[in-house]
Amino acid sequence: MLARTACHARRPAAAAFDSRSAQTFKAFYATIRSLRQAPPKPEVDDVDPADNDFIMSILRANPSLRDTRSYLASFGPRPVKPVEFKPTIPVPEQNSITAESRPLHIKQPHTQTETSPVIASILNPVFRRTSLVKLQGPFTDRQLESIARGMVYLEKLGLVSVIVVENDNIPRGDDRERAAIVEETMRVVSALEKQGAKARPVLGAVVRLGPKPGDEDAAEAQSHPVPEAHTFPSDLVHIRSALRAGEIPVLPPMALDSFCRSVRINANDVIAALARGMVEAASQEPKTQRSSGSSEIPAPVEDEIDLTPMRLMIINKEGGVPSYARSGMPHLLVNLASEYHYIKDTFDPEWKSTHPSALANLSLARTCLSYMPPTSSAVMVSHRSPSSLIANLITNKPAVSSSLPHALLQGNRKLEFHTPTLLRRGLDVRVIRSPADIDRPKLKSLLEQSFRRKLDEAPFWDRLDKCLDFVIVAGDYAGAAVVTTEQCPPDASPDFSPITYLDKFAVLPSHQGDGTVDFLWVALHDESYGLGLPFSANPNGGKEGKGDGRDLVWRSRANNPVNKWYFERSTGHLRMGDWILFWCDAEKRLKTEEGRRGSAGLSYLEQWEHGRLSVWSDVVFKITSSWK
């Protein structure tokens, strides 16, 4: 070991490392130490306060600058077309009246003044959007009060809820079934009004049983899950009226059957029919009435509302979907395009008693999001977390990032059984292992748009042909992670295996903030440093968790704004001049070493870690740039 270290010291990069190791030793192992030590138990003062304050709920959301911009783009004032100034006083001809005889005051006829769009947007700066809410009870009065407070908070921020009430304790087919569900609906209306909201019960059926006429022959029936109920734009008149009046519509799960009788059906069918029907109704509105169709504001802002639902919220007692990767703790972020079937297949039968409606709600989210805009999301949340709804609205992100190291997720006090599950339509994720299978024009376009630099194509493709390990692609090259295999120097110890190097990690600007980054990093974890662990068996077209984990290494410029994100996900880092070297330890190796040492835990520096930073830095910083 001493001989190898001395040999490394003769190389320039290794010498630079040795010269500053005494000063930076603790710094670049800080992340390792935090991962390997058990987190302290939260003190009483560390526990989040009760969700009883609107401002505190917003502050706890901790939105980034990008989150704030995204929120303002959806809920901020609409752009106003400049109004040309036209004089209202007629100017007489120069030779028809003399200056001496010109009247000093000209009376104008009285006309009713319309509110200026600019003034209206200042007085009411929030552009209102809609969300669909499934309220899956039974709830106590106290629980309903907490939920109603969350709905009021969302309304203040511009998101008006269309609520469908369900009570699992009301038996189906009972003589008092209709009266009981109507009574439950009125309880929700009363709870909302006690919190200061205006609510309107819509007790008549607004959906119709059965698929929509023409669905059997429509091509979209092959690509979209077809709801068991449907609605027409004319059926939504009461919901539209309530929304325009600033009221929250509250509906029981009723539908019209083929004999025009109002019958109780599954609330999921009502929600799915409304999601599709509201999107279709909004598409038929004049462009000037839609949020994205015009730069003009034809009516006062408070009369406008976009009928297209941008959120689906499922509020119940059980919370999110339990995860096989976290011993029953909830999924944080679900990519429905690639994970839906796998989550259903790995659902533990024991969870059916604790989460009886989890799979049905997962299917509901998939159906609704297939009709809603791509930027929409669904959240499954317990009644205990009303402030999570605000955080989801402002950031459109999960409460805890799913791409954080598993050790942090296991020990983070914010990850609890009632932590919400965020669901997105998502993108397919696949792994490419042959350079010949890469769509080079699309990957080039992705890299140049993401890095905003010109790719030096010839040496870049030549390098991939020689040392490509794999490429993870999200969607149609909306994101990609390029990983290569770098050989260690000839004089390095035979104990060092080839370096798994993250050469490029890129996401299109249009997909930044929609979950693609997390989807991509989770797949990268599963194909490299997470291999060999049961929670790495995700269906991304790769090794599905089988194999031995490998250390993942990459570099980033010291002034890269993404470094904060890298710090949270790496095991450790080393600063070297204008660059930072990051790495993620193979998790299986760490667990094996921990098992050998038992309760003693891992040491500050393991034997197999000595000298590896010198080798990594020597190899990684010799890789030439891919940019012109």
Side-chain angles (χ1 to χ4, degrees):
M1 176 63 70
L2 293 176
R4 187 174 72 251
T5 305
C7 178
H8 294 333
R10 289 193 292 270
R11 294 195 295 270
F17 164 69
D18 292 335
S19 65
R20 59 183 79 192
S21 61
Q23 292 80 16
T24 62
F25 186 78
K26 293 183 179 179
F28 59 72
Y29 273 103
T31 313
I32 287 182
R33 190 168 59 253
S34 67
L35 283 177
R36 296 181 180 178
Q37 292 178 348
K41 293 183 179 180
E43 301 292 335
V44 176
D45 294 339
D46 291 336
V47 178
D48 289 339
D51 299 318
N52 56 1
D53 186 83
F54 177 55
I55 302 300
M56 288 302 297
S57 298
I58 295 177
L59 294 177
R60 282 197 295 272
N62 193 24
S64 64
L65 181 60
R66 177 181 293 166
D67 297 333
T68 305
R69 287 173 176 168
S70 177
Y71 168 78
L72 291 176
S74 297
F75 295 93
R78 301 296 94 183
V80 180
K81 183 178 180 180
V83 180
E84 295 183 7
F85 174 77
K86 295 181 180 179
T88 56
I89 300 177
V91 180
E93 295 182 8
Q94 184 66 29
N95 56 1
S96 63
I97 186 170
T98 61
E100 290 79 5
S101 62
R102 186 176 298 135
L104 296 178
H105 301 286
I106 301 177
K107 258 191 176 181
Q108 296 296 323
H110 177 72
T111 58
Q112 187 175 359
T113 306
E114 293 185 359
T115 305
S116 165
V118 179
I119 296 175
S121 65
I122 294 174
L123 295 178
N124 187 1
V126 177
F127 183 83
R128 296 181 298 155
R129 308 291 291 273
T130 55
S131 69
L132 280 169
V133 180
K134 177 188 176 184
L135 213 55
Q136 184 177 345
F139 297 112
T140 65
D141 290 342
R142 179 65 186 87
Q143 293 166 350
L144 210 53
E145 176 188 342
S146 175
I147 295 170
R149 187 185 306 120
M151 297 293 100
V152 173
Y153 287 175
L154 293 176
E155 186 182 28
K156 289 179 180 179
L157 291 171
L159 192 70
V160 185
S161 303
V162 178
I163 301 175
V164 178
V165 179
E166 182 63 285
N167 188 325
D168 294 335
N169 281 1
I170 298 177
R172 298 186 179 275
D174 188 80
D175 293 339
R176 295 194 68 257
E177 178 184 14
R178 181 182 178 86
I181 199 66
V182 168
E183 181 181 350
E184 188 71 9
T185 303
M186 297 309 297
R187 278 187 69 221
V188 175
V189 171
S190 177
L192 289 168
E193 291 181 339
K194 285 180 180 178
Q195 296 300 319
K198 293 189 293 183
R200 180 189 297 186
V202 182
L203 303 180
V206 296
V207 304
R208 305 162 188 258
L209 273 178
K212 195 171 184 178
D215 277 349
E216 297 82 359
D217 303 324
E220 71 170 7
Q222 305 299 323
S223 58
H224 292 285
V226 179
E228 294 296 326
H230 66 278
T231 186
F232 296 104
S234 58
D235 298 328
L236 302 175
V237 59
H238 298 295
I239 292 178
R240 192 191 303 270
S241 172
L243 293 174
R244 286 180 172 171
E247 300 171 339
I248 299 175
V250 184
L251 294 72
M254 310 296 287
L256 289 176
D257 63 9
S258 57
F259 297 100
C260 292
R261 296 175 301 189
S262 181
V263 296
R264 181 190 177 194
I265 65 171
N266 193 306
N268 286 8
D269 295 331
V270 177
I271 292 280
L274 286 175
R276 179 183 181 182
M278 291 170 68
V279 169
E280 293 175 349
S283 67
Q284 297 177 11
E285 292 181 353
K287 288 187 177 181
T288 54
Q289 294 293 329
R290 294 164 58 195
S291 61
S292 59
S294 173
S295 61
E296 299 184 36
I297 298 183
V301 175
E302 59 268 19
D303 289 342
E304 289 189 15
I305 191 162
D306 190 344
L307 203 59
T308 305
M310 67 177 303
R311 292 287 190 278
L312 168 66
M313 293 181 284
I314 301 170
I315 305 175
N316 53 28
K317 288 189 172 183
E318 60 194 60
V321 183
S323 169
Y324 55 88
R326 300 191 179 96
S327 303
M329 298 287 270
H331 280 276
L332 298 173
L333 177 64
V334 174
N335 180 356
L336 289 169
S338 64
E339 298 179 56
Y340 173 75
H341 295 290
Y342 190 72
I343 291 175
K344 290 186 66 176
D345 294 341
T346 55
F347 193 82
D348 194 322
E350 294 182 359
W351 296 336
K352 292 182 179 179
S353 59
T354 57
H355 297 74
S357 62
L359 293 182
N361 288 331
L362 180 71
S363 178
L364 171 65
R366 178 171 175 254
T367 301
C368 292
L369 290 177
S370 67
Y371 292 102
M372 293 161 64
T375 54
S376 301
S377 63
V379 60
M380 295 172 59
V381 61
S382 164
H383 63 87
R384 300 173 184 171
S385 306
S387 65
S388 300
L389 300 176
I390 287 184
N392 170 254
L393 173 64
I394 297 176
T395 66
N396 204 13
K397 295 177 181 177
V400 184
S401 175
S402 59
S403 61
L404 285 171
H406 193 74
L408 289 181
L409 292 178
Q410 292 291 84
N412 196 314
R413 66 174 182 267
K414 292 183 179 179
L415 185 58
E416 300 171 342
F417 280 102
H418 60 265
T419 299
T421 295
L422 182 68
L423 306 102
R424 306 198 70 125
R425 186 190 302 180
L427 300 166
D428 291 322
V429 177
R430 64 189 187 279
V431 179
I432 299 174
R433 301 199 178 274
S434 171
D437 296 333
I438 299 175
D439 190 323
R440 299 194 174 192
K442 288 184 179 180
L443 181 58
K444 172 180 177 290
S445 176
L446 163 64
L447 296 177
E448 291 184 344
Q449 289 186 60
S450 178
F451 287 90
R452 298 180 182 178
R453 301 181 70 179
K454 194 73 175 175
L455 186 68
D456 194 1
E457 289 192 69
F460 177 73
W461 299 124
D462 182 61
R463 177 173 141 72
L464 291 192
D465 288 336
K466 294 177 181 177
C467 57
L468 177 70
D469 190 346
F470 59 85
V471 179
I472 302 175
V473 178
D476 189 18
Y477 287 83
V482 180
V483 179
T484 60
T485 300
E486 308 296 332
Q487 299 299 324
C488 293
D491 56 350
S493 168
D495 296 334
F496 290 125
S497 57
I499 300 171
T500 301
Y501 176 66
L502 176 59
D503 189 278
K504 294 287 183 292
F505 187 84
V507 174
L508 286 176
S510 59
H511 284 270
Q512 293 174 6
D514 69 355
T516 303
V517 172
D518 280 334
F519 298 149
L520 202 58
W521 193 269
V522 169
L524 177 64
H525 162 274
D526 297 345
E527 291 300 309
S528 55
Y529 65 98
L531 279 173
L533 299 177
F535 51 81
S536 298
N538 291 304
N540 51 34
K543 296 184 177 180
E544 297 185 355
K546 299 174 184 177
D548 294 324
R550 298 169 292 167
D551 300 332
L552 181 69
V553 184
W554 70 98
R555 67 183 182 185
S556 176
R557 290 196 177 273
N559 60 354
N560 189 346
V562 183
N563 288 341
K564 178 180 181 297
W565 198 82
Y566 286 152
F567 287 139
E568 295 174 341
R569 282 150 186 82
S570 62
T571 306
H573 65 277
L574 169 65
R575 294 182 182 272
M576 297 192 70
D578 295 335
W579 293 90
I580 301 178
L581 180 74
F582 291 95
W583 71 91
C584 290
D585 285 324
E587 294 181 347
K588 185 178 179 180
R589 186 194 303 127
L590 290 181
K591 286 187 173 292
T592 302
E593 195 68 26
E594 259 184 332
R596 289 174 183 167
R597 295 176 179 271
S599 59
L602 289 170
S603 64
Y604 189 71
L605 187 64
E606 295 296 325
Q607 182 65 31
W608 46 267
E609 294 177 294
H610 286 280
R612 65 175 185 167
L613 292 183
S614 295
V615 175
W616 287 351
S617 60
D618 186 35
V619 172
V620 167
F621 289 105
K622 287 181 180 178
I623 298 174
T624 57
S625 173
S626 305
W627 309 108
K628 289 184 179 179

PDB file of all heavy atoms in Angstrom, residues 81-96:
ATOM      1  N   LYS A  81     -52.922  42.672 -23.389  1.00  0.00           N
ATOM      2  CA  LYS A  81     -52.600  43.369 -24.625  1.00  0.00           C
ATOM      3  C   LYS A  81     -52.661  44.884 -24.380  1.00  0.00           C
ATOM      4  O   LYS A  81     -53.625  45.383 -23.822  1.00  0.00           O
ATOM      5  CB  LYS A  81     -53.597  42.989 -25.723  1.00  0.00           C
ATOM      6  CG  LYS A  81     -53.289  43.613 -27.081  1.00  0.00           C
ATOM      7  CD  LYS A  81     -54.296  43.155 -28.117  1.00  0.00           C
ATOM      8  CE  LYS A  81     -53.996  43.770 -29.475  1.00  0.00           C
ATOM      9  NZ  LYS A  81     -54.975  43.338 -30.492  1.00  0.00           N
ATOM     10  N   PRO A  82     -51.586  45.604 -24.762  1.00  0.00           N
ATOM     11  CA  PRO A  82     -51.597  47.060 -24.544  1.00  0.00           C
ATOM     12  C   PRO A  82     -52.777  47.717 -25.250  1.00  0.00           C
ATOM     13  O   PRO A  82     -53.126  47.371 -26.375  1.00  0.00           O
ATOM     14  CB  PRO A  82     -50.262  47.515 -25.152  1.00  0.00           C
ATOM     15  CG  PRO A  82     -49.419  46.278 -25.220  1.00  0.00           C
ATOM     16  CD  PRO A  82     -50.366  45.136 -25.409  1.00  0.00           C
ATOM     17  N   VAL A  83     -53.405  48.669 -24.544  1.00  0.00           N
ATOM     18  CA  VAL A  83     -54.570  49.379 -25.087  1.00  0.00           C
ATOM     19  C   VAL A  83     -54.120  50.720 -25.645  1.00  0.00           C
ATOM     20  O   VAL A  83     -53.448  51.492 -24.949  1.00  0.00           O
ATOM     21  CB  VAL A  83     -55.636  49.582 -23.989  1.00  0.00           C
ATOM     22  CG1 VAL A  83     -56.838  50.324 -24.562  1.00  0.00           C
ATOM     23  CG2 VAL A  83     -56.047  48.246 -23.403  1.00  0.00           C
ATOM     24  N   GLU A  84     -54.449  50.970 -26.919  1.00  0.00           N
ATOM     25  CA  GLU A  84     -54.090  52.240 -27.533  1.00  0.00           C
ATOM     26  C   GLU A  84     -54.934  53.359 -26.937  1.00  0.00           C
ATOM     27  O   GLU A  84     -56.139  53.215 -26.752  1.00  0.00           O
ATOM     28  CB  GLU A  84     -54.298  52.177 -29.049  1.00  0.00           C
ATOM     29  CG  GLU A  84     -53.370  51.190 -29.740  1.00  0.00           C
ATOM     30  CD  GLU A  84     -53.578  51.219 -31.234  1.00  0.00           C
ATOM     31  OE1 GLU A  84     -54.339  52.092 -31.704  1.00  0.00           O
ATOM     32  OE2 GLU A  84     -52.978  50.381 -31.922  1.00  0.00           O
ATOM     33  N   PHE A  85     -54.291  54.491 -26.648  1.00  0.00           N
ATOM     34  CA  PHE A  85     -55.011  55.636 -26.096  1.00  0.00           C
ATOM     35  C   PHE A  85     -55.736  56.367 -27.213  1.00  0.00           C
ATOM     36  O   PHE A  85     -55.156  56.715 -28.224  1.00  0.00           O
ATOM     37  CB  PHE A  85     -54.038  56.581 -25.402  1.00  0.00           C
ATOM     38  CG  PHE A  85     -54.702  57.850 -24.927  1.00  0.00           C
ATOM     39  CD1 PHE A  85     -55.480  57.847 -23.773  1.00  0.00           C
ATOM     40  CD2 PHE A  85     -54.564  59.030 -25.638  1.00  0.00           C
ATOM     41  CE1 PHE A  85     -56.095  59.013 -23.347  1.00  0.00           C
ATOM     42  CE2 PHE A  85     -55.177  60.183 -25.197  1.00  0.00           C
ATOM     43  CZ  PHE A  85     -55.941  60.176 -24.048  1.00  0.00           C
ATOM     44  N   LYS A  86     -57.053  56.563 -26.988  1.00  0.00           N
ATOM     45  CA  LYS A  86     -57.857  57.315 -27.947  1.00  0.00           C
ATOM     46  C   LYS A  86     -58.547  58.447 -27.204  1.00  0.00           C
ATOM     47  O   LYS A  86     -59.226  58.201 -26.202  1.00  0.00           O
ATOM     48  CB  LYS A  86     -58.903  56.411 -28.608  1.00  0.00           C
ATOM     49  CG  LYS A  86     -58.282  55.309 -29.460  1.00  0.00           C
ATOM     50  CD  LYS A  86     -59.366  54.466 -30.095  1.00  0.00           C
ATOM     51  CE  LYS A  86     -58.752  53.355 -30.946  1.00  0.00           C
ATOM     52  NZ  LYS A  86     -59.796  52.495 -31.569  1.00  0.00           N
ATOM     53  N   PRO A  87     -58.387  59.704 -27.645  1.00  0.00           N
ATOM     54  CA  PRO A  87     -59.018  60.827 -26.936  1.00  0.00           C
ATOM     55  C   PRO A  87     -60.534  60.730 -27.015  1.00  0.00           C
ATOM     56  O   PRO A  87     -61.094  60.394 -28.045  1.00  0.00           O
ATOM     57  CB  PRO A  87     -58.495  62.053 -27.683  1.00  0.00           C
ATOM     58  CG  PRO A  87     -58.074  61.540 -29.024  1.00  0.00           C
ATOM     59  CD  PRO A  87     -57.610  60.132 -28.812  1.00  0.00           C
ATOM     60  N   THR A  88     -61.174  60.998 -25.885  1.00  0.00           N
ATOM     61  CA  THR A  88     -62.634  60.925 -25.838  1.00  0.00           C
ATOM     62  C   THR A  88     -63.283  62.269 -26.150  1.00  0.00           C
ATOM     63  O   THR A  88     -64.468  62.323 -26.403  1.00  0.00           O
ATOM     64  CB  THR A  88     -63.078  60.474 -24.441  1.00  0.00           C
ATOM     65  OG1 THR A  88     -62.542  61.368 -23.462  1.00  0.00           O
ATOM     66  CG2 THR A  88     -62.564  59.070 -24.139  1.00  0.00           C
ATOM     67  N   ILE A  89     -62.500  63.344 -26.117  1.00  0.00           N
ATOM     68  CA  ILE A  89     -63.066  64.672 -26.391  1.00  0.00           C
ATOM     69  C   ILE A  89     -62.866  64.985 -27.870  1.00  0.00           C
ATOM     70  O   ILE A  89     -61.742  64.971 -28.361  1.00  0.00           O
ATOM     71  CB  ILE A  89     -62.385  65.757 -25.532  1.00  0.00           C
ATOM     72  CG1 ILE A  89     -62.587  65.426 -24.055  1.00  0.00           C
ATOM     73  CG2 ILE A  89     -62.911  67.143 -25.880  1.00  0.00           C
ATOM     74  CD1 ILE A  89     -61.885  66.395 -23.135  1.00  0.00           C
ATOM     75  N   PRO A  90     -63.950  65.221 -28.609  1.00  0.00           N
ATOM     76  CA  PRO A  90     -63.786  65.534 -30.032  1.00  0.00           C
ATOM     77  C   PRO A  90     -63.069  66.866 -30.220  1.00  0.00           C
ATOM     78  O   PRO A  90     -63.354  67.841 -29.518  1.00  0.00           O
ATOM     79  CB  PRO A  90     -65.227  65.604 -30.553  1.00  0.00           C
ATOM     80  CG  PRO A  90     -66.052  65.895 -29.349  1.00  0.00           C
ATOM     81  CD  PRO A  90     -65.356  65.269 -28.185  1.00  0.00           C
ATOM     82  N   VAL A  91     -62.136  66.898 -31.161  1.00  0.00           N
ATOM     83  CA  VAL A  91     -61.371  68.119 -31.426  1.00  0.00           C
ATOM     84  C   VAL A  91     -61.969  68.800 -32.650  1.00  0.00           C
ATOM     85  O   VAL A  91     -62.028  68.201 -33.726  1.00  0.00           O
ATOM     86  CB  VAL A  91     -59.884  67.783 -31.678  1.00  0.00           C
ATOM     87  CG1 VAL A  91     -59.099  69.057 -31.963  1.00  0.00           C
ATOM     88  CG2 VAL A  91     -59.311  67.044 -30.481  1.00  0.00           C
ATOM     89  N   PRO A  92     -62.475  70.029 -32.516  1.00  0.00           N
ATOM     90  CA  PRO A  92     -63.078  70.716 -33.671  1.00  0.00           C
ATOM     91  C   PRO A  92     -62.030  71.108 -34.704  1.00  0.00           C
ATOM     92  O   PRO A  92     -60.845  71.180 -34.405  1.00  0.00           O
ATOM     93  CB  PRO A  92     -63.718  71.956 -33.043  1.00  0.00           C
ATOM     94  CG  PRO A  92     -62.914  72.191 -31.800  1.00  0.00           C
ATOM     95  CD  PRO A  92     -62.490  70.848 -31.309  1.00  0.00           C
ATOM     96  N   GLU A  93     -62.505  71.349 -35.929  1.00  0.00           N
ATOM     97  CA  GLU A  93     -61.588  71.781 -36.979  1.00  0.00           C
ATOM     98  C   GLU A  93     -61.030  73.149 -36.645  1.00  0.00           C
ATOM     99  O   GLU A  93     -61.665  73.972 -35.984  1.00  0.00           O
ATOM    100  CB  GLU A  93     -62.332  71.833 -38.315  1.00  0.00           C
ATOM    101  CG  GLU A  93     -62.800  70.465 -38.789  1.00  0.00           C
ATOM    102  CD  GLU A  93     -63.481  70.569 -40.135  1.00  0.00           C
ATOM    103  OE1 GLU A  93     -63.439  71.667 -40.723  1.00  0.00           O
ATOM    104  OE2 GLU A  93     -64.026  69.552 -40.586  1.00  0.00           O
ATOM    105  N   GLN A  94     -59.811  73.408 -37.131  1.00  0.00           N
ATOM    106  CA  GLN A  94     -59.098  74.625 -36.758  1.00  0.00           C
ATOM    107  C   GLN A  94     -59.844  75.886 -37.204  1.00  0.00           C
ATOM    108  O   GLN A  94     -59.885  76.864 -36.495  1.00  0.00           O
ATOM    109  CB  GLN A  94     -57.698  74.583 -37.399  1.00  0.00           C
ATOM    110  CG  GLN A  94     -56.805  75.757 -37.014  1.00  0.00           C
ATOM    111  CD  GLN A  94     -56.452  75.736 -35.552  1.00  0.00           C
ATOM    112  OE1 GLN A  94     -56.389  74.682 -34.952  1.00  0.00           O
ATOM    113  NE2 GLN A  94     -56.240  76.911 -34.961  1.00  0.00           N
ATOM    114  N   ASN A  95     -60.478  75.854 -38.399  1.00  0.00           N
ATOM    115  CA  ASN A  95     -61.091  77.078 -38.924  1.00  0.00           C
ATOM    116  C   ASN A  95     -62.582  77.178 -38.641  1.00  0.00           C
ATOM    117  O   ASN A  95     -63.258  78.029 -39.158  1.00  0.00           O
ATOM    118  CB  ASN A  95     -60.860  77.174 -40.441  1.00  0.00           C
ATOM    119  CG  ASN A  95     -61.390  75.946 -41.141  1.00  0.00           C
ATOM    120  OD1 ASN A  95     -61.928  75.053 -40.484  1.00  0.00           O
ATOM    121  ND2 ASN A  95     -61.227  75.919 -42.466  1.00  0.00           N
ATOM    122  N   SER A  96     -63.137  76.242 -37.838  1.00  0.00           N
ATOM    123  CA  SER A  96     -64.566  76.299 -37.581  1.00  0.00           C
ATOM    124  C   SER A  96     -64.890  77.039 -36.310  1.00  0.00           C
ATOM    125  O   SER A  96     -66.026  77.417 -36.085  1.00  0.00           O
ATOM    126  CB  SER A  96     -65.146  74.886 -37.496  1.00  0.00           C
ATOM    127  OG  SER A  96     -64.567  74.198 -36.387  1.00  0.00           O
TER     128      SER A  96
END
